[in-house]
Every structure is written in C-alpha cells, then in structure tokens.
Amino acid sequence: MDAKRRSFLKSAAMAAAGSMVAGNTSLPVVHADQAVDDLPTGEGMTWNKAPCRFCGTGCHVQVGVEDGRVVAIAGDKAADVNKGLLCVKGYHVGGILYGKDRLTNPLLRKDGKLTEIEWDEAIETIAKRIFDSPQTFAFYGSGQWTIPEGYAAQKFMKGGLGNNHIDPNARLCMASAVTGFLATYGVDEPAGCYQDLDECDVLITWGNNPAEMHPVLFSRVTDRRSRGETVRIIDIGTRKTRTTDAANDYLEMKPHGDVAISLGIMHLLIENNNYDKSFVEKHCNFRGAEELTPTLQGEQISEAEFRKRIAKYTPERVEELSGVPADQIRMLADLFGNHDIRITSLWCMGMNQHTMGTAINSLVHGVHLLSGHFGRPGDAPTSLTGQPSACGTVREVGTLAHALPGGRVVANPEHREQCEGFWNLSPGSINATPGYHTVKMFEQFTKPTSQGGDITTMFVQVTNPGQTLPNLNALFNDKQGLEDKFLIVSDVYPTATTVLADLILPAAMWVEKNGVYGNSERRTQQWFKMVDPPGEARDDCWMTIAIAHKLFEMGYEGMKDKDGEFIFAVKNEAGEEIPIWEFDHYYDTNVDKHLFEEYRQFTTMKHKNLAPYDEYVKARGLRWPVVEQDDGSWRETKFRFSGFDDPFVTAGQEFDFYHSSTNDGRAQIWFHEYAPPPEMPDEEFPMWLCTGRVLEHWHSGTMTRRVSQLSRAMPTAYLEMNPEDAKAANIRQGERVIVESRRGKCELPVWIDGRGRPPRGTIFVPFFDETKLINNCTLDAHDPFSKQPDYKKCAARVKKLAEAPS
Amino acid sequence: MPISGLVITFASQVEEHSAAIESLHEVPEIEIGNASGSKLAIVVDSADKRRDQQIWNMVRELPGVIDLAVAMVAFDEDNETAERESIRNLE
C-alpha cells in the first residue's frame, strides 16, 4: 500500500472514530444527511449504504469501494437501527467477500469427481432433471435470500411448477415465532420495534443471549445505563452468558422451564386479581388447545375456564417444574402486575427451537396481554431473528411449504385465486396441498426412492443444511451413496453441504449483487450492487430465472403465463423483452425492482404494505406498514395495533387487532399445559446438551471463518462444561472429549468456566465449526405446529477421548 | 496491514487518566485523536495482524479503560483471509 493511500485510510479511520467521540456515547445520534459527509472520499474511493449481511438486527454499514474492491466498512450513523455502531462481525463484513477459496466456476460431479463446467451445461442439467420429474424436485432456501430472490423462487415453484416443496432454513430458527404470532394476533410479526428497548423499564430475556447474538441491540439497552437511566435486565436462561453479566437478576431454569414460568406468572396475575381487566375485557379472548386434535386456532374458552386450568400452576408447582424459586416467580408476577412500568420481552432460538415452541411463544404473548403490558412504547413481546431477511423473505414473501406471498396460504382457494391473478396464471395452477417442511423434505430426500423417498432432486440456495440440520446422520449424511438422488448447491464457499453435492454453483454475495432484506422490526432495507463477483460467480436470483427460462424453452407449460409469456418476462419501455436469463443482460435493468414491485401488490392483503422500491433507495429502511400520505410522502409504522401510530386501527380505537383469528378485533390469550421435553437425560445419557452460537461467528461459520480476525478470535468449537461435572469425570481444561447422543457423536476440547457457565448436568456446544459437527448429536423432534426442531435440549454423555470407544 | 479507527471509553473523564494516555503515546502505531468526556479517538496502523492484536490487548488492559470499540476498519489488497484448509472436494 502506498503512503498516500495509507494516509488517506488513516484519516478516514480517525474521522469515523472522532465523530463517535464527539457524540460522547457509543451510539451517537446524528442527522441522516450528515452521515456520509464525514467519511472522506477521494483516491477513487466511494461509499454506499447496505444492511449488514449477518443477523436479523438490520444494522446499516457504509461500504467503501476502491478499484472494484471493498476496502473499508464504517458504521452508518444515519441508520436508526445502529446509529453508527457495529458489532465485531459487522466491522469485518467486507472481509467475507475475499476468502481464498471462493467458488468461481460451476462444478459437476462426474464419476465421483467434481469437474468444472460452463453455466449453460449447469442450467441445462438442472432444467432437465426438473422437466423429467417436476413433482420430486424440492427447493431449499433461506432467511438469507433477499426478498427478490425468495420471491422469484416462490413464483418459480408454486406458480411455475405447481409444486409446494419449497421451505427455508428459517424453519429451523424462527418458525415457532411465526405460529406464536399467528395463534395470538391472527397475523405474523412483532407489534413493537427497537424503540421499545430505548423505553422499557424492565427487559426480560427469555432463553436469549442478545449480548452475543444481537450485540448492537443489547448495546442500545446497556448504553442507557451509561447515560444514567435505570433499566432492569432479567435474564431467564439455562446457562449464564454475557447477557447474564449485565443482568440485574438471573433466573436459572431447567430445559422447558419457560413454559412453567409463563404459566406461573399468569396464575399469579389471576390469583392476585392484578391483571389488566380493562385491556382484557376490551381486547382479548381466552383460548385453549383442543383435546383430541389440537390446531393453531384452538378453541375459545371462558375466563372462568382459563382460571380453572391455570389454577394448578402455583409458584411452588412452577418451582418444581422449572427450577426457578417460587419467590422469583412472584417477583416476575409483581412486575407484570405493575402498570406504571414498561416491560419488554426478547427471545430468539431459545424459545423457538422447542418442541413446545408455538405454545411458549403464545404464552409469553399471553403474559403481556393479560397484564396489559402491550402496545405502549417499551411494553412489548418481541421475537428476534437470526438471519438478515428471515422476516422480509421467509415470513413476508412466504417461502414456506404452506404459504404464498403476503400472508396467503396454498390451502385456501381464495388465496390461490388471488395469487394466480397477480401472476397472470391459469386457474388451478397453484397446488392446494402444502409441500414438505424442512425435516420432512430432507427425510424424503435421504430415503431411498424405492422406499418412498419421493424427493429426488434438491436445489439448496444460500444456506448450509449439511451443517445446520439436526440429526445430520439421518437427515443429510444418508444421502451419500443414493445414486438417483441429485443435490444442487449454490454457495460462495465450499461447505459441509457441498461435500455431498452433485452440482455446485458459484454464487455472488451481498454487495456483489442488488438486494432487499427485511429485519426483525419489520424494516425493509435496500442496497445496490457495488463490486463484481469473482470468476463466474452469479446471482442466485439469476440462477432461478435462467432455469425457469430453460424450462420455458423446453416447452414446460408452467413457465408460461395465461398469455403465453415467460412468467418472469421483463420488458423495456419500447415493450421489448429484456433477456434477463442471459447473465450478460441481467443488469440491463434492475430485476430486483421489477420483482419487488410485483411482490408489493401482495403486501396490502395483510396490512403489511410496502412503499415503492425507490423509497427504499432513499432510506435506511422503512418499517411496514408504510402508507402514502396526502402530500405524497410515505410514512412507516413503529407500533402495530396501537391507535396512536398504526394507520389501520379504526379511528378512535386505542387498540385494534384487525387480523384477529376470531374476527372481533381481539387478541387471544392462550392456555397450554406444560409437557416434558421429548428426550430427558437418563443413566445412559445423563447430560442435557444445548447448542447455539458465539459472538464472533455467524451461524455455520462459512463466511466468518474466512475472516482471519474472527477466525483467530474464536478458532474452534468447544464444549462448555460445569467445573464440578468436569472434576467428577476427571476432565481438565482443554482436554478433548467425545460428546455422544443416541444419534451421533462429536469430538471437542473442553472449556470450563469460559464464556458461558452451564449448571451441573448440562453442556453447551456452538455449531459454527464444520470440522466438529455437533448436529450429528442433536434431536430432530419438532413442534407439532411450526415443525421447528428442538436443538436446545437432548440427552448426551461426555467421555474423555482416551476412554471413549473407537 | 490493518488500519482501525477506535474509540476508547474510560471510567471517568479522559483527562483523569494521564498515565494511560502516556502509555498510548509510547506506542508508535497509535495516533491519538479527539477526546470528549470519557471517550478518546485513536487510530491504530500496525504492520501485521499479530501486532494489531497485541496493541488491542494492551489498550484494553490499560488502567481506567472500560471499553474499546471499533469505528472503522480498512480492508485492502493486503487483507489476510483465513488460511483454512478448504473442505472442497475436487479430487
């Protein structure tokens, strides 16, 4: 690097640090227009905005580009989400583009060996397999899909092929949050937003570790303390974490204890007669699960019946079930019984990856509704997402086996008809039967065709199921040796999934392409392509459109609309079709914008209205519903269902749950009986195993492990163990052990009293390390409604390596 | 050769931590910028990532330092990405 350029970069770094100091907080608040001005340009460097590629927080960064390469990243101070602050992953997000082993050519396995091929052959190979057997094809996607990518995949499958076997990896991380919202409010996604974190008096983290998983959000809370504000943090968890370090109270629960705790709070609110009667009478119904065949709708029960059912969840009974002392249950109930304070609940995988995931989500919403801690800034039950567009793409575009865009479902004839109308398809084009959810999809793919395994071709985009699926030996590794099963994987790096792939497609990533994400607080965020992808790597959205067009050329009827036109046809102003299926012409137009504007039509149907694409170009994201004002401007919504902010609440109403499943504007307060976990420790497998994440690595580590700073900071997975358990087993710090369950095993070094401190009888292993696949051990038992597996609790044993059987 | 813009947060006003500031001045790779309240801007321009890590650790351990945040990090053609053995199966 020459001296002039070095000097330039140093001045840019000093400007960025200096501006944060000038604000004298770690979250400086500045006017939007100033944000880019203090990042020096010159030397050929340009800056442009993009949301971070990692978690669902939705931080914005400024990306510095010079000579076609990302050379700098700065926190974006104009972004309301992060106000200039980024976590350690965010600061290194530019480095994820430049790992040395980027995939740069399509690779086809021929005679067992991966061989470079041309894109034409790759697209033709895929199209031919689909053409020959469209109903045994499955598309497995992701909450990392951009909104246009997910929308294109959704239209390709459900509109083009009439095949509903499309599901995302978000099934593994937040499906129970979706079913919890649907069961409670009749419509998905949080009512509140991140402003709740700035205004709450009490923050309760339910099996959640935002200090590591959503650090910028957690900083918004801890920063308030540095400004002299009082915010009480109550951490309910199965192990001590960095969040615990900042908490005022730590309530250590047994696995599944959250269900009992929420029932206990509701019991005391009722018993002490200090629930919010006015809110409940005006805005809520009571609901319970049907005894014989429970459904997501449940059955209406009276308040008296609710009282009767919840009567047995006394603090003492809850202590027995959850391990949390009865006095602490009373403390929580007293807080919820105090209407003068504001309480926000946060949760993520701990509550969602749960065989009672739908139940516990509904119960925590119920605690807030029963106590009236809802709908005022700071009073909110809020689930977080782990992927950048789990909300925008999966939940809103509906890339799930049962869903259609805009909150529609395939099982509803009216919804199918609406969708066929928007897509200009012949009536009956969309299949009425939901496709396979993730676990079922992979079961069918890894089961021999002769034994009923009716998925024979699988296309995986933007995710890594070979590492992240539970019970890998059954759901992924069994694919090996099945000659007629064909796995196509689009990714940016070789992964645990590409190891078994028959065809690997090199993908463009993040700012190598246009994109739109939707974050955890209903915020839709747009960015433009800034640099070219390496080699022959190409956009995932282009791949989908190119395959669709190849099928169109082959005469596949589904790829034509009612007028005989290609279903992804894009025309220029002269009415001529732009050949976007040819990569050389893909950027002749903004395909994202075309797809987004088509998708936008769906968003008004569940009051998740989006603004035109160009509004997102100007903004650092807008929270839906976004509605047009009389002066032509577009206004976002921070607090749904609250009359003071939500434009769809009937005038004069304080609250209106306008998508109520009971069609009466009311939310549902659910009762669910506590049920024990699906697998419990026993003599043979005496420990509880919980899996999760770490600050430095994002999910399966395929990107963050290519950034040397992050890789060096956290180079390998490990086993967290309680010191007493380790001593009893004669295991010392750093020794290698075998963790084993009934499904598989994994070798790991032991870290005692490290970052997390599990109680006796429990162990924790992060899943980011593809050289140590802990998901060989995890359980594929799943919630009956959300179909989300339970990664957080299964029975395991730990043996010193020397003592373990070979 | 990483260049980072960092923000140090002290337990109290920056001027009350003269010993720590003196220690920062003794590190040739550190350039000290503006201070306000308990926060101080610095830039670290180090020869390699190992040295960068050493400086980072040293700063965090200075008496009175309660937090060290990154404001900007520069990537460039010298950027080292992890030298991992790829699991790509080309054989």
Side-chain angles (χ1 to χ4, degrees):
Chain A
M1 188 191 306
D2 65 47
K4 192 176 164 200
R5 182 174 144 67
R6 193 162 199 90
S7 168
F8 166 71
L9 286 172
K10 283 175 76 171
S11 72
M14 185 60 88
S19 65
M20 287 180 75
V21 164
N24 201 25
T25 66
S26 56
L27 289 170
V29 178
V30 295
H31 296 295
D33 292 342
Q34 295 175 358
V36 181
D37 291 349
D38 58 13
L39 293 171
T41 54
E43 294 284 309
M45 184 188 271
T46 58
W47 296 88
N48 208 342
K49 58 138 188 168
C52 180
R53 172 66 180 79
F54 298 123
C55 77
T57 302
C59 297
H60 246 87
V61 296
Q62 284 288 334
V63 183
V65 173
E66 187 183 64
D67 293 334
R69 186 180 169 90
V70 173
V71 296
I73 295 292
D76 189 339
K77 289 180 295 168
D80 185 49
V81 169
N82 54 309
K83 298 178 173 67
L85 188 72
L86 291 172
C87 75
V88 66
K89 291 191 292 292
Y91 278 111
H92 292 103
V93 67
I96 63 175
L97 303 177
Y98 301 115
K100 294 190 189 313
D101 56 343
R102 276 291 296 264
L103 293 164
T104 53
N105 287 89
L107 300 167
L108 181 65
R109 198 176 297 277
K110 294 178 178 173
D111 300 325
K113 291 181 183 173
L114 288 169
T115 310
E116 288 187 359
I117 59 169
E118 298 295 321
W119 268 107
D120 285 349
E121 184 182 348
I123 296 297
E124 201 169 309
T125 301
I126 301 167
K128 187 164 187 325
R129 282 200 69 98
I130 297 172
F131 191 90
D132 289 346
S133 185
Q135 297 312 316
T136 64
F137 173 70
F139 208 155
Y140 188 61
S142 169
Q144 300 161 62
W145 257 338
T146 67
I147 287 174
E149 285 167 353
Y151 179 74
Q154 172 85 313
K155 185 177 180 182
F156 172 78
M157 290 296 287
K158 290 174 182 160
L161 296 181
N163 171 344
N164 295 331
H165 296 317
I166 175 172
D167 217 42
N169 63 0
R171 179 76 74 180
L172 308 175
C173 70
M174 46 100 261
S176 300
V178 175
T179 45
F181 281 110
L182 288 173
T184 305
Y185 309 102
V187 65
D188 185 25
E189 297 197 54
C193 64
Y194 298 159
Q195 189 180 326
D196 292 310
L197 301 172
D198 305 331
E199 304 211 16
C200 63
D201 299 294
V202 177
L203 177 71
I204 303 178
T205 54
W206 294 80
N208 185 210
N209 181 14
E212 284 199 83
M213 306 320 151
H214 297 86
V216 168
L217 290 185
F218 200 61
S219 295
R220 279 175 78 143
V221 180
T222 52
D223 229 38
R224 292 176 55 195
R225 289 176 170 169
S226 71
R227 294 198 297 269
E229 294 180 31
T230 302
V231 56
R232 180 174 175 181
I233 300 173
I234 300 174
D235 179 33
I236 304 174
T238 56
R239 69 191 245 276
K240 290 180 181 171
T241 65
R242 285 189 171 178
T243 299
T244 319
D245 295 340
N248 302 78
D249 307 87
Y250 171 57
L251 279 55
E252 191 165 275
M253 67 173 183
K254 297 177 189 173
H256 256 216
D258 45 7
V259 175
I261 293 166
S262 53
L263 288 165
I265 297 169
M266 288 201 278
H267 165 90
L268 284 168
L269 288 170
I270 296 272
E271 187 73 17
N272 297 336
N273 213 26
N274 61 352
Y275 65 99
D276 190 333
K277 295 179 196 65
S278 169
F279 184 87
V280 172
E281 279 173 18
K282 287 183 197 163
H283 306 299
C284 303
N285 295 314
F286 290 95
R287 212 133 194 102
E290 304 92 329
E291 260 185 49
L292 293 178
T293 45
T295 66
L296 199 57
Q297 284 70 45
E299 60 184 1
Q300 189 132 347
I301 57 174
S302 65
E303 184 174 337
E305 176 64 19
F306 184 83
R307 281 171 176 269
K308 194 175 141 194
R309 293 190 190 185
I310 210 152
K312 67 183 172 191
Y313 289 97
T314 63
E316 288 70 27
R317 171 76 176 133
V318 170
E319 176 175 335
E320 193 183 313
L321 294 172
S322 70
V324 173
D327 283 350
Q328 291 188 314
I329 305 300
R330 291 192 181 92
M331 176 271 287
L332 288 172
D334 287 345
L335 284 173
F336 276 102
N338 181 355
H339 205 59
D340 295 331
I341 59 171
R342 309 287 173 108
I343 305 176
T344 290
S345 287
L346 280 188
W347 66 91
C348 197
M349 311 303 177
M351 256 168 61
N352 297 338
Q353 292 174 339
H354 200 312
T355 47
M356 291 191 73
T358 304
I360 180 59
N361 271 267
S362 305
L363 289 170
V364 172
H365 288 301
V367 167
H368 277 263
L369 292 168
L370 189 66
S371 62
H373 283 285
F374 183 92
R376 303 179 300 180
D379 265 335
T382 297
S383 69
L384 299 173
T385 48
Q387 299 185 91
S389 200
C391 287
T393 304
V394 173
R395 295 161 79 160
E396 292 153 31
V397 174
T399 57
L400 294 144
H402 68 283
L404 290 167
R408 315 278 90 184
V409 293
V410 298
N412 185 318
E414 190 189 336
H415 292 184
R416 293 197 303 276
E417 192 181 326
Q418 289 163 345
C419 198
E420 286 158 358
F422 283 132
W423 287 341
N424 194 34
L425 300 176
S426 306
S429 297
I430 298 173
N431 188 334
T433 307
Y436 292 144
H437 60 83
T438 296
V439 170
K440 182 73 175 166
M441 186 184 280
F442 279 91
E443 275 177 0
Q444 293 303 101
F445 184 59
T446 52
K447 184 190 287 186
T449 311
S450 60
Q451 294 171 26
D454 60 1
I455 298 296
T456 57
T457 301
M458 171 92 79
F459 188 8
V460 175
Q461 272 191 343
V462 205
T463 185
N464 185 13
Q467 186 168 345
T468 57
L469 284 168
N471 194 3
L472 282 168
N473 285 329
L475 294 184
F476 186 74
N477 301 337
D478 274 357
K479 188 266 175 191
Q480 194 154 26
L482 298 178
E483 293 299 323
D484 65 332
K485 304 280 182 164
F486 195 79
L487 178 62
I488 306 152
V489 181
S490 157
D491 212 321
V492 297
Y493 290 110
T495 67
T497 309
T498 62
V499 168
L500 289 188
D502 300 284
L503 177 59
I504 300 172
L505 305 176
M509 75 187 299
W510 194 45
V511 295
E512 294 167 351
K513 61 187 180 184
N514 292 338
V516 187
Y517 283 156
N519 82 344
S520 296
E521 63 164 351
R522 294 175 278 108
R523 185 184 291 273
T524 309
Q525 314 197 84
Q526 175 275 349
W527 77 92
F528 285 121
K529 173 179 172 172
M530 299 177 205
V531 295
D532 286 327
E536 291 293 311
R538 295 181 180 182
D539 304 41
D540 288 285
C541 196
W542 172 82
M543 294 178 206
T544 302
I545 291 170
I547 296 162
H549 196 266
K550 181 58 69 179
L551 285 163
F552 176 82
E553 288 173 350
M554 293 163 77
Y556 193 91
E557 283 299 314
M559 296 301 155
K560 296 175 187 164
D561 68 11
K562 269 198 305 195
D563 303 321
E565 299 226 37
F566 179 41
I567 60 170
F568 291 106
V570 172
K571 293 186 176 174
N572 63 21
E573 285 174 1
E576 297 157 339
E577 191 166 2
I578 303 168
I580 57 173
W581 56 90
E582 294 172 9
F583 193 63
D584 286 346
H585 292 285
Y586 187 66
Y587 278 93
D588 286 357
T589 184
N590 185 344
V591 175
D592 264 27
K593 182 175 175 178
H594 288 282
L595 291 168
F596 187 86
E597 292 298 344
E598 184 180 300
Y599 161 59
R600 198 162 78 83
Q601 301 173 94
F602 290 87
T603 65
T604 59
M605 305 172 89
K606 278 259 182 176
H607 298 91
K608 300 183 177 187
N609 302 40
L610 297 179
Y613 181 89
D614 290 341
E615 293 300 313
Y616 297 98
V617 173
K618 293 183 269 183
R620 303 300 197 275
L622 295 168
R623 284 164 283 197
W624 58 258
V626 190
V627 294
E628 191 169 17
Q629 305 297 286
D630 292 340
D631 63 1
S633 64
W634 294 83
R635 177 187 173 279
E636 63 171 349
T637 303
K638 295 180 182 177
F639 300 96
R640 289 168 91 195
F641 312 131
S642 295
F644 75 89
D645 195 43
D646 186 335
F648 295 118
V649 171
T650 309
Q653 290 261 29
E654 193 181 2
F655 294 101
D656 184 0
F657 296 101
Y658 44 77
H659 277 292
S660 167
S661 53
T662 41
N663 299 313
D664 54 3
R666 290 164 178 264
Q668 318 300 322
I669 299 175
W670 276 81
F671 173 82
H672 285 278
E673 290 283 6
Y674 171 88
E679 183 179 70
M680 304 276 276
D682 53 22
E683 280 190 11
E684 198 181 355
F685 295 93
M687 311 289 285
W688 283 111
L689 167 64
C690 177
T691 64
R693 297 172 283 165
V694 294
L695 173 67
E696 293 82 358
H697 289 295
W698 192 70
H699 291 198
S700 65
T702 55
M703 292 179 279
T704 49
R705 293 191 84 220
R706 265 83 182 181
V707 177
S708 58
Q709 294 92 334
L710 299 174
S711 186
R712 198 174 293 138
M714 182 59 76
T716 178
Y718 53 87
L719 171 84
E720 278 178 4
M721 195 170 193
N722 181 279
E724 295 299 313
D725 284 334
K727 192 174 177 187
N730 194 26
I731 294 169
R732 300 286 187 272
Q733 186 76 284
E735 280 193 301
R736 300 189 74 80
V737 294
I738 299 283
V739 179
E740 197 171 7
S741 77
R742 290 185 172 83
R743 293 156 291 281
K745 59 187 177 182
C746 178
E747 183 185 324
L748 294 151
V750 170
W751 194 6
I752 299 165
D753 274 345
R755 187 173 290 181
R757 281 93 67 206
R760 286 211 72 170
T762 69
I763 51 177
F764 172 87
V765 179
F767 71 89
F768 70 85
D769 188 345
E770 86 271 18
T771 67
K772 299 174 176 59
L773 294 171
I774 188 59
N775 282 354
N776 285 334
C777 301
T778 53
L779 194 64
D780 55 0
H782 47 271
D783 178 272
F785 303 105
S786 70
K787 317 298 184 194
Q788 179 162 2
D790 193 328
Y791 292 87
K792 296 298 185 188
K793 49 186 122 31
C794 70
R797 63 186 171 214
V798 178
K799 289 186 175 175
K800 288 180 72 159
L801 190 56
E803 295 170 3
S806 58
Chain B
M1 297 198 284
I3 296 172
S4 309
L6 307 175
V7 177
I8 301 173
T9 303
F10 288 97
S12 56
Q13 299 285 309
V14 172
E15 53 267 28
E16 294 170 23
H17 298 273
S18 52
I21 306 293
E22 203 167 302
S23 300
L24 293 172
H25 278 297
E26 286 169 9
V27 180
E29 294 98 330
I30 292 179
E31 187 179 321
I32 296 178
N34 295 339
S36 177
S38 61
K39 294 189 184 295
L40 173 68
I42 63 169
V43 167
V44 178
D45 177 3
S46 50
D48 56 49
K49 295 209 173 81
R50 186 174 297 275
R51 178 62 182 149
D52 191 53
Q53 188 73 46
Q54 282 173 350
I55 295 170
W56 180 275
N57 293 341
M58 183 279 288
V59 173
R60 288 184 71 147
E61 285 164 16
L62 286 174
V65 171
I66 60 170
D67 189 39
L68 182 59
V70 186
M72 190 188 120
V73 59
F75 297 90
D76 55 32
E77 64 273 20
D78 299 325
N79 177 50
E80 298 166 27
T81 49
E83 294 282 0
R84 300 174 48 253
E85 188 171 333
S86 174
I87 56 173
R88 180 172 175 175
N89 176 15
L90 274 169
E91 286 77 44

